[in-house]
């Protein structure tokens, strides 16, 4: 969010912004896929079903990068067609989702460890 905000305010150029963001795309896809599979294996159905659409979206977004682009974030296209605003909105939604998941995981951990 901060990197996209810096690009929006012209504090950094599009190429450096996109290179910073693109280096985190693959770890995000792999990490989210691993967490989703672990929830399936451990039979946490609600958390698995909550994570499945986000993991699917991350994989779809990574696979559908047009050939010739630098990655999911491309410096030549980020200012076109309102992509900057959509990337910013997506980042905010993901932040909210990860905050929700963090507190759900924390609650599950505490409820399993602390006896009633």
């Amino acid at each position: 969010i901060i990197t996209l905000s810096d690009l929006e305010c012209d504090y950094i150029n599009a190429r450096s912004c996109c290179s910073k963001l693109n280096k985190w795309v693959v770890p995000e896809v792999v990490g989210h896929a691993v967490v989703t599979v672990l929830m399936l294996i451990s039979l946490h159905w609600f958390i698995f079903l909550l994570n499945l659409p986000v993991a699917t979206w991350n994989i779809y977004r990574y696979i559908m990068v047009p050939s010739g682009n630098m990655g999911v974030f491309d410096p030549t296209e980020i200012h076109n067609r309102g992509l900057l605003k959509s990337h910013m909105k997506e980042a905010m939604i993901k932040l909210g989702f990860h905050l929700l998941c963090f507190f759900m995981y924390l609650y599950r951990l505490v409820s399993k460890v602390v006896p009633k």
Side-chain angles (χ1 to χ4, degrees), residues 1 90-102:
I1 294 173
E90 181 182 341
M92 293 296 270
I93 291 170
K94 281 185 181 181
L95 176 67
F97 173 77
H98 290 299
L99 256 144
L100 174 73
C101 285
F102 171 75

Side-chain angles (χ1 to χ4, degrees), residues 1-10 12-22 25 61 69-91:
I1 294 173
I2 293 171
T3 305
L4 289 171
S5 175
D6 286 347
L7 177 64
E8 190 175 33
C9 295
D10 285 335
I12 59 175
N13 62 22
R15 185 170 181 85
S16 65
C17 172
C18 292
S19 67
K20 285 180 185 179
L21 294 173
N22 280 329
V25 171
R61 189 175 65 139
N69 279 14
M70 187 173 160
V72 174
F73 302 95
D74 190 54
T76 58
E77 295 181 359
I78 197 157
H79 289 295
N80 295 344
R81 297 176 281 142
L83 282 180
L84 184 59
K85 290 291 183 191
S86 67
H87 287 311
M88 185 75 84
K89 186 169 80 171
E90 181 182 341

Side-chain angles (χ1 to χ4, degrees), residues 97-109:
F97 173 77
H98 290 299
L99 256 144
L100 174 73
C101 285
F102 171 75
F103 286 111
M104 282 181 13
Y105 299 155
L106 188 65
Y107 173 76
R108 292 290 294 171
L109 177 71

